[in-house]
Amino acid sequence: MTDVPLLPTAAPGSTPVRVLTIAGSDSGGGAGIQADLRTFALLGLHGCVAVTAVTVQNSLGVSGFQEITPDVVAAQIDSVVSDIGVGATKSGMLASAPIIAAVADACADVGIGRDGATPFVLDPVCASMHGDPLLAGEALEELRATLFPLATIVTPNLDEVRLITGIEVVDESTQRDAARALHDLGPQWALVKGGHLRSSDQSPDLLFDGAEFHEFTHARIDTGHDHGAGDTLAAATASALAHGRSVPEAVAFAKRWVTRGLEAAYPLGAGHGPVNPLWRVRITPEAPAR
Ligand SMILES: Nc1ncnc2c1ncn2[C@@H]1O[C@H](COP(=O)(O)OP(=O)(O)O)[C@@H](O)[C@H]1O
Ligand SMILES: Cc1ncc(COP(=O)(O)O)c(N)n1
């Protein structure tokens, strides 16, 4: 099992480091806001949420979703930041162009993003792992134009890289091309995740800041239970950034965290089970399986 050095935790009774996720709800509990909150809690952070959409989802796929109105999404961000304060923010499913525009305005207003004080991890979620759309097609341009330039780091998977840049990543060289193209869209750092690089026995994630490449890799884990892997990686990155880690340190930490979660992933329902951060909870004696 992968060794994960953990983040410092607050003493009982003292306020933990806070972090905000702007994302959709997954009724199956494996991805989206639920994955983010599992990661935040098990790393000892206090997670706040701005819900963008409620999906009807289980291990087999997403059968529908209801968007939250853009003004309510923006108001959640403002409400949390003005009172509770957050050390970092991550976004996931944003559903539509009007929600993206409202998120961009709200983040800029409260100092979230590369020119503000609060680091912003932008996971440009376009579809679920089952291929069900989670972002309107016409919203891609809004994402590129308004949120990419605000991001401290963007974390697309290879399908999202293709949609955003038109580049098909098949090897190390095209992964570098994609990182350059993503960086040109304005984020401080671009991370091209290699989880979908099925031709490799590795899962190489490539980080680029316009000058230097950093690679984070691990041997590919043979599991069909990888639901929520991207959300978990982005949530752990935001958690480490909230603790003041640099971007390369935060990604290195998050890569180990998601790898450990993939090693401990469990079956759920008839489809894909989730990445599992619950390995952190050690209850003895072990409960019998149900
Ligand atoms: N089978 C696997 N073995 C090891 N790491 C994986 C595997 N699948 C995904 N990962 C890692 O999980 C994280 C999420 O990656 P990816 O699956 O590409 O994103 P998404 O969940 O957004 O589709 C990345 O760090 C990736 O390298
Ligand atoms: C609400 C929500 N957010 C994000 C994902 C992506 O996760 P995955 O790629 O594992 O399906 C999802 N399925 N649902």
Side-chain angles (χ1 to χ4, degrees):
M1 289 286 174
T2 300
D3 183 33
V4 186
L6 296 168
L7 298 173
T9 49
S14 61
T15 307
V17 169
R18 281 87 59 217
V19 60
L20 167 67
T21 172
I22 307 168
S25 164
D26 168 5
S27 49
I33 275 182
Q34 288 74 9
D36 297 340
L37 289 180
R38 276 153 59 111
T39 284
F40 298 153
L42 288 162
L43 288 174
L45 286 89
H46 177 93
C48 301
V49 302
V51 185
T52 58
V54 175
T55 70
V56 180
Q57 183 169 180
N58 60 23
S59 71
L60 297 167
V62 181
S63 55
F65 62 80
Q66 174 70 54
E67 291 173 25
I68 305 300
T69 56
D71 55 331
V72 172
V73 175
Q76 291 173 83
I77 296 169
D78 182 62
S79 173
V80 164
V81 175
S82 61
D83 172 42
I84 296 169
V86 295
T89 294
K90 75 142 283 211
S91 67
M93 173 187 182
L94 296 175
S96 73
I99 292 178
I100 291 171
V103 167
D105 285 347
C107 286
D109 284 351
V110 299
I112 293 170
R114 59 178 298 173
D115 297 326
T118 309
F120 177 33
V121 180
L122 170 61
D123 188 16
V125 172
C126 295
S128 77
M129 66 180 300
H130 323 86
D132 303 314
L134 297 175
L135 181 73
E138 72 276 8
L140 262 186
E141 192 39 49
E142 188 74 30
L143 193 68
R144 272 192 290 256
T146 62
L147 277 186
F148 267 66
L150 259 190
T152 308
I153 174 172
V154 293
T155 64
N157 66 27
L158 297 190
D159 297 321
E160 291 151 359
V161 166
R162 189 175 356 90
L163 285 169
I164 293 162
T165 68
I167 296 174
E168 184 86 43
V169 174
V170 291
D171 55 16
E172 200 184 317
S173 158
T174 43
Q175 196 176 20
R176 284 185 173 228
D177 293 343
R180 287 190 195 93
L182 289 164
H183 187 263
D184 284 347
L185 293 172
Q188 215 169 338
W189 295 83
L191 181 73
V192 180
K193 295 180 295 192
H196 298 205
L197 207 54
R198 309 259 180 246
S199 57
S200 171
D201 60 358
Q202 291 287 307
S203 57
D205 298 348
L206 188 68
L207 180 66
F208 183 58
D209 67 348
E212 278 182 35
F213 289 98
H214 304 252
E215 193 185 78
F216 305 90
T217 192
H218 188 276
R220 176 168 295 281
I221 296 158
D222 186 15
T223 178
H225 305 309
D226 54 356
H227 186 43
D231 311 74
T232 301
L233 181 85
T237 302
S239 299
L241 290 173
H243 273 281
R245 304 283 169 87
S246 69
V247 170
E249 287 168 348
V251 174
F253 168 76
K255 177 70 176 168
R256 291 167 84 149
W257 174 256
V258 75
T259 301
R260 185 70 179 79
L262 281 159
E263 288 167 344
Y266 51 85
L268 195 70
H272 297 282
V275 168
N276 176 20
L278 300 176
W279 63 269
R280 280 274 286 136
V281 183
R282 296 201 190 276
I283 300 168
T284 49
E286 216 158 79
R290 284 167 194 265

